[in-house]
């Protein structure tokens, strides 16, 4: 690899488009531009392409094609589910979510709270796990919906959503999972689960940005967030983003292939990186180390550093990673996820997240393993210079 090559270890923020996805999308940007709702055969190509994408995604999710509604992103999917669940249920008074949800669930829930709906945010332990007993106790007679993410975007910690969905079904409460970080990373089979709604987003698994989907179980009622034409079987108005939906379908097919071929390259890169960092850097800890995690994420807290300074230095070495979630970079706020895991500690300001994908290489992992320990060392020298030594500026890369 060349020195100026970017080492992209921020695949939970977004991912590179798979070249096979671009190839599949292009004809629908150039040639087959018909509106899938038009009746003539020229537009039939687009309509057929939507059907194929729906089938491919259904195969990845282990559900029926009719249970999929395409949306503009993961955020829209989350908003649509939360809005639908509350409009349909006359109880409409209480929602339960975890304290470590993505802002695309947290913010709509906070908005509900402003409008008079009670919201309980269930906390997590030091490893990032929710206590199922506590979750069950949080459900009340007037609870409409429980929303718990499948995998946390900052730590990669997995939640037992199938079990949680069972608990909800017993209590006749709707269950939604924000699975944006799980889809394409772990095997999923929605058939026979009690999950009512699931949200996903294409750009987190090598598809294009600006397209996502909601799974709505066929026995669950759904009221659209976006009203308009009868697209998506009347469940999401607006002319379909055909090329992007085609890309989402292809990305789903590629993810199915990767897992059915039993490939484990992502997990082995992540594990090797994590082990080597723990061995070479003192005062490093893996957030969520004791929990089940998706195979691509390493979230560390490093003693004696500030995440924001580390990101600056790593950027000079052309290493892309993040402190907590990408959506917060630039805001000075510490990670709400790491804070929820350790409310009394300061780990939330010292976090760095590295997230891998099948497009990373072993050479890139090697390079990151050279740079990261040096950067952490440098930052610690700056923070606590040995007496007599000149204080070197953080602005100078080691
Ligand atoms: C990225 C992400 C989202 C938002 O998806 P967009 O398609 O970018 O709107 C929601 N939830 C989680 C857990 C995410 O990681």
């Amino acid at each position: 690899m060349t020195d100026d090559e970017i080492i992209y270890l921020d695949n939970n923020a977004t991912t590179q488009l798979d070249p096979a996805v671009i190839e599949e999308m292009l004809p629908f940007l150039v040639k087959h531009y018909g509106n899938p709702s038009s009746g003539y055969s020229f537009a039939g190509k687009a309509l057929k392409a939507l059907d194929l994408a729906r089938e491919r995604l259904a195969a990845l999710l282990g559900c029926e094609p009719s249970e999929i509604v395409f949306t503009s992103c993961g955020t829209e999917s989350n908003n649509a589910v939360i809005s639908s669940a509350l409009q349909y249920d006359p109880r409409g008074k209480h929602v339960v979510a975890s304290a470590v949800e993505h802002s695309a669930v947290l913010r709509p829930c906070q908005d509900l709270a402003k409008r008079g709906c009670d919201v309980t945010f269930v906390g997590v332990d030091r490893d990032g796990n929710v206590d199922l007993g506590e979750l069950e106790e949080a459900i009340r007679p007037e609870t409409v919906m429980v929303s718990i993410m499948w995998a946390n975007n900052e730590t990669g910690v997995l939640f037992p959503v199938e079990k949680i969905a069972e608990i909800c079904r017993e209590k006749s409460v709707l269950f939604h999972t924000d699975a944006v970080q799980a889809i394409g990373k772990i095997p999923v089979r929605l058939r026979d689960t009690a999950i009512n709604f699931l949200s996903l987003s294409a750009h987190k698994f090598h598809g294009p940005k600006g397209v996502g989907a909601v799974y709505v179980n066929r026995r669950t009622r759904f009221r659209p967030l976006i009203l308009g034409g009868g697209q998506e079987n009347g469940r999401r108005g607006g002319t379909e983003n055909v090329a992007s939906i085609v890309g989402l379908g292809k990305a789903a097919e590629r993810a199915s292939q990767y897992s059915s071929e039993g490939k484990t390259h992502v997990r082995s890169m992540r594990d090797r990186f994590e082990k080597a960092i723990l061995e070479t850097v003192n005062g490093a800890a893996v957030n969520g180390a004791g929990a089940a995690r998706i195979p691509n994420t390493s979230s560390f807290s490093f003693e004696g550093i500030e995440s924001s300074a580390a990101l600056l230095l790593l950027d000079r070495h052309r290493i892309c990673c993040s402190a907590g979630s990408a959506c917060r970079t630039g805001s000075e706020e510490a990670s709400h996820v790491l804070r929820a895991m350790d409310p009394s500690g300061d780990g939330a300001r010292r976090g760095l997240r590295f997230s891998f994908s099948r497009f990373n290489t072993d050479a890139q992992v090697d390079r990151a393993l050279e740079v990261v320990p040096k950067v952490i060392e440098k930052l610690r020298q700056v923070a606590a210079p040995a007496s007599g030594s000149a204080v070197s500026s953080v602005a100078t890369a080691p």
Side-chain angles (χ1 to χ4, degrees), residues 51-354:
D51 289 343
L52 178 61
R54 211 180 298 280
E55 279 161 26
R56 284 170 165 172
L57 182 56
L60 179 67
L61 300 182
C63 70
E64 300 305 318
S66 62
E67 293 174 311
I68 287 166
V69 180
F70 292 118
T71 65
S72 71
C73 60
T75 301
E76 183 193 319
S77 298
N78 286 334
N79 276 268
V81 168
I82 292 167
S83 141
S84 173
L86 273 118
Q87 286 182 51
Y88 254 128
D89 199 307
R91 290 176 293 183
K93 288 194 199 88
H94 182 235
V95 167
V96 178
S98 85
V100 297
E101 294 299 309
H102 188 275
S103 51
V105 166
L106 282 183
R107 291 292 307 278
C109 285
Q110 286 159 356
D111 189 58
L112 289 178
K114 272 192 215 142
R115 291 187 286 129
C117 172
D118 253 4
V119 184
T120 303
F121 292 106
V122 177
V124 295
D125 66 15
R126 267 179 174 267
D127 275 319
N129 292 313
V130 280
D131 183 288
L132 292 192
E134 192 184 327
L135 185 94
E136 195 164 352
E137 273 168 32
I139 299 173
R140 311 177 194 158
E142 71 271 24
T143 305
V144 179
M145 183 185 63
V146 172
S147 183
I148 306 282
M149 65 204 321
W150 201 318
N152 184 269
N153 49 301
E154 296 193 26
T155 58
V157 169
L158 283 160
F159 295 95
V161 290
E162 284 135 317
K163 259 191 224 158
I164 297 171
E166 287 295 338
I167 293 171
C168 292
R169 172 151 70 186
E170 274 164 34
K171 295 183 179 269
S172 305
V173 171
L174 291 169
F175 179 71
H176 165 243
T177 183
D178 173 348
V180 172
Q181 292 293 346
I183 299 307
K185 295 175 185 160
I186 56 161
V188 162
R189 191 184 143 86
L190 293 176
R191 207 166 279 128
D192 313 326
T193 71
I195 295 169
N196 299 97
F197 306 107
L198 173 146
S199 300
L200 61 90
S201 176
H203 76 99
K204 301 291 175 80
F205 59 102
H206 307 294
K209 293 171 183 63
V211 61
V214 200
Y215 156 85
V216 182
N217 178 279
R218 62 196 171 285
R219 285 181 292 272
T220 305
R221 287 193 297 177
F222 179 75
R223 183 178 278 196
L225 175 66
I226 297 182
L227 299 166
Q231 292 91 351
E232 294 300 287
N233 229 338
R235 292 175 297 181
R236 203 272 188 185
T239 301
E240 299 87 342
N241 186 349
V242 178
S244 293
I245 292 169
V246 164
L248 166 55
K250 188 66 181 175
E253 187 195 61
R254 299 282 288 173
S256 303
Q257 272 167 3
Y258 185 86
S259 87
S260 70
E261 286 165 11
K263 295 210 173 126
T264 54
H265 182 52
V266 172
R267 180 185 292 276
S268 61
M269 277 187 297
R270 191 278 306 267
D271 288 351
R272 180 163 78 87
F273 178 78
E274 199 167 289
K275 190 159 170 280
I277 292 291
L278 289 173
E279 279 168 9
T280 54
V281 183
N282 296 327
V286 173
N287 301 306
R293 288 183 289 150
I294 42 177
N296 83 317
T297 308
S298 261
S299 163
F300 289 95
S301 285
F302 293 102
E303 277 169 25
I305 68 146
E306 282 273 343
S307 317
S308 51
L311 290 181
L312 274 176
L313 273 189
L314 289 167
D315 186 30
R316 293 200 178 188
H317 291 276
R318 306 184 67 77
I319 292 180
C320 308
C321 64
S322 81
S325 98
C327 316
R328 274 164 203 275
T329 306
S331 75
E332 283 299 299
E333 212 183 318
S335 155
H336 72 288
V337 175
L338 300 185
R339 232 185 314 125
M341 288 163 73
D342 183 15
S344 56
D346 66 341
R349 308 200 136 275
R350 302 186 283 101
L352 280 185
R353 177 190 72 186
F354 301 88

Side-chain angles (χ1 to χ4, degrees), residues 351-391:
L352 280 185
R353 177 190 72 186
F354 301 88
S355 44
F356 299 82
S357 87
R358 62 178 192 260
F359 289 98
N360 288 123
T361 63
D362 288 317
Q364 291 175 337
V365 176
D366 291 341
R367 177 86 185 118
L369 283 172
E370 272 171 42
V371 172
V372 174
K374 278 193 212 151
V375 162
I376 302 298
E377 177 64 17
K378 175 94 181 169
L379 290 167
R380 287 174 177 166
Q381 280 169 9
V382 173
S387 57
S389 76
V391 179

